Amino acid sequence: MQLDQIRQIAVIGLGRMGHGIAQAFAMGGYPVRGFDESDDARASLHQRIRGNLEDFARNDILDTAEIDVVLDRIAVADTEAQAAASADFVVEAVAEQLTVKQELFARIEDAVSDETIIASNSSTFTISESSVNMRRPARAVVTHWFNPPHIVPAVEVVPGPDTTEEITETTVALHRKIGKLAVRVNVEIPGFLVNRVQIAMIREVWDLYERGIASREDIDAAIRGSLGFRLAACGPLAICDFGGVDIWATVYQGLAPELRRDTEVPKAIQNLVDDGRCGTRTGSGIHDYDAQNLDDVTSRRDETFLKLAKLLYGTQ
Ligand SMILES: NC(=O)c1ccc[n+]([C@@H]2O[C@H](COP(=O)([O-])OP(=O)(O)OC[C@H]3O[C@@H](n4cnc5c(N)ncnc54)[C@H](O)[C@@H]3O)[C@@H](O)[C@H]2O)c1
């Protein structure tokens, strides 16, 4: 499958990730057909995407007149097979359960043409695991987006050992064409690339928080105003060059033995989970949220993301 043969996209699973992925493809000019097993998710798809598009328009990323044009490119199918039937590229963003994904991949393969690319947005399962029931795993690949997917630029494209070079290249090209920062991960390993780095960082952050080394507000402010600020503009390897690789090597040698290295979830975090304080979803986590303030913090976060995306990446 070559890039110019891709005309129709299908998105299976229209939750937090799937609805934004559908939006991104529609904004990139592709007709999209979506399916979700939940009636609510299907019924609310256009309204949720309209809300996102209005945020884009408020931030001058999209012309208001384009909102309906983008929405018109998105259709909701009544069945999974109907969504996939004429698609050249199918991406799933259903629940993160391996058997669900494995069964879905086998069913999708029966519903599409031999050429159709089938992608998984799994955060943890490799394509070798998800495609185990497929007849032709050569056309399967991971495309790992980041929440909120319609705003965060990067998408990790992770082929398995069976994925053909053509499928990987076309998948990278497709995501670049719709304005995403598609990066290729050459070897499938647990956590791919970004989540490994993210977990390495959060282990140390959680440790500092548990030990009371600084307040939760000061930890967040310190990282946002230093590493976060720099990383938005300059990758970590490039930052090493600016700082001096020799200096980094010396600091690494002195500091690495001081850092947390075990694999236990820190008690302060486990206690929150045990108390049902799981974050914005449950109304409390490391911070407390009421309904009004949750809307405010989410809007403020998305406004800031959109400003950054516009500043650094132009569109999405
Ligand atoms: N949330 C994140 O930050 C994030 C980031 C990257 C990747 N992911 C991955 O994306 C996928 C979806 O995550 P999410 O956060 O959007 O979850 P979500 O719960 O918000 O959405 C999942 C949607 O899939 C639907 N669904 C479940 N099983 C289905 C099936 N068999 N057929 C059709 N629809 C089905 C559900 O009804 C729901 O609407 C997961 O694999 C997750 O690991 C999530």
Side-chain angles (χ1 to χ4, degrees):
M1 174 73 71
Q2 305 281 335
L3 179 61
D4 58 7
Q5 294 172 280
I6 297 184
R7 302 214 165 77
Q8 172 80 41
I9 308 291
V11 181
I12 312 295
L14 302 169
R16 205 169 6 201
M17 298 302 290
H19 91 285
I21 294 172
Q23 174 183 333
F25 278 111
M27 285 184 73
Y30 284 96
V32 180
R33 210 166 283 144
F35 175 73
D36 194 295
E37 65 180 11
S38 142
D39 294 345
D40 277 356
R42 292 200 307 281
S44 64
L45 179 69
H46 282 85
Q47 181 201 345
R48 285 180 286 145
I49 295 179
R50 179 179 290 281
N52 296 340
L53 293 171
E54 284 169 355
D55 289 344
F56 276 52
R58 253 195 316 281
N59 284 280
D60 298 324
I61 293 174
L62 185 76
D63 201 291
T64 308
E66 283 293 301
I67 292 178
D68 284 327
V69 176
V70 173
L71 286 170
D72 284 348
R73 293 195 189 114
I74 301 169
V76 176
D78 293 330
T79 65
E80 174 190 294
Q82 207 182 74
S86 55
D88 308 298
F89 185 90
V90 180
V91 54
E92 70 77 18
V94 303
E96 186 73 350
Q97 290 170 28
L98 188 54
T99 49
V100 170
K101 296 204 189 267
Q102 288 173 335
E103 287 163 14
L104 178 78
F105 268 62
R107 287 197 307 274
I108 296 289
E109 192 172 37
D110 284 339
V112 298
S113 84
D114 279 353
E115 304 306 315
T116 299
I117 300 176
I118 307 178
S120 171
N121 181 49
S122 172
S123 325
T124 49
F125 304 124
T126 61
I127 203 62
S128 305
E129 293 171 297
S130 302
S131 67
V132 76
N133 294 332
M134 287 176 68
R135 281 175 275 108
R136 287 190 55 231
R139 44 114 133 234
V141 66
V142 160
T143 52
H144 182 227
W145 297 58
F146 297 88
N147 187 32
H150 47 289
I151 300 177
V152 181
V155 177
E156 292 179 297
V157 177
V158 194
D162 292 327
T163 315
T164 64
E165 183 58 27
E166 182 180 297
I167 294 293
T168 307
E169 274 180 12
T170 300
T171 302
V172 169
L174 173 67
H175 289 77
R176 288 188 181 156
K177 187 175 168 199
I178 63 166
K180 301 309 284 187
L181 179 68
V183 295
R184 181 182 167 140
V185 179
N186 293 325
V187 179
E188 57 171 21
I189 51 173
F192 315 130
L193 187 163
V194 175
N195 276 344
R196 293 176 78 97
V197 176
Q198 182 159 255
I199 290 296
M201 187 196 76
I202 209 68
R203 172 158 63 182
E204 189 58 24
V205 167
W206 277 354
D207 187 63
L208 296 169
Y209 170 68
E210 182 174 58
R211 292 163 61 200
I213 302 299
S215 70
R216 56 190 185 176
E217 289 79 9
D218 279 349
I219 291 174
D220 273 353
I223 302 303
R224 273 185 67 188
S226 60
L227 309 187
F229 181 83
R230 284 202 313 218
L231 287 171
C234 201
L237 294 175
I239 286 174
C240 289
D241 271 350
F242 282 111
V245 183
D246 52 334
I247 295 168
W248 274 84
T250 306
V251 174
Y252 186 97
Q253 215 169 19
L255 213 46
E258 297 292 326
L259 304 184
R260 185 154 184 157
R261 268 170 292 171
D262 69 6
T263 55
E264 296 298 309
V265 174
K267 276 207 177 54
I269 298 297
Q270 190 58 55
N271 288 344
L272 290 174
V273 176
D274 293 344
D275 291 346
R277 295 175 59 97
C278 296
T280 54
R281 181 165 46 85
T282 57
S284 66
I286 293 166
H287 297 271
D288 290 314
Y289 307 89
D290 58 38
Q292 179 52 41
N293 120 341
L294 179 54
D295 275 352
D296 290 349
V297 289
T298 309
S299 312
R300 268 204 308 276
R301 181 201 69 165
D302 287 355
E303 285 278 312
T304 310
F305 283 162
L306 282 167
K307 287 194 176 85
L308 268 178
K310 190 177 164 200
L311 180 68
L312 297 173
Y313 296 95
T315 51
Q316 293 192 30

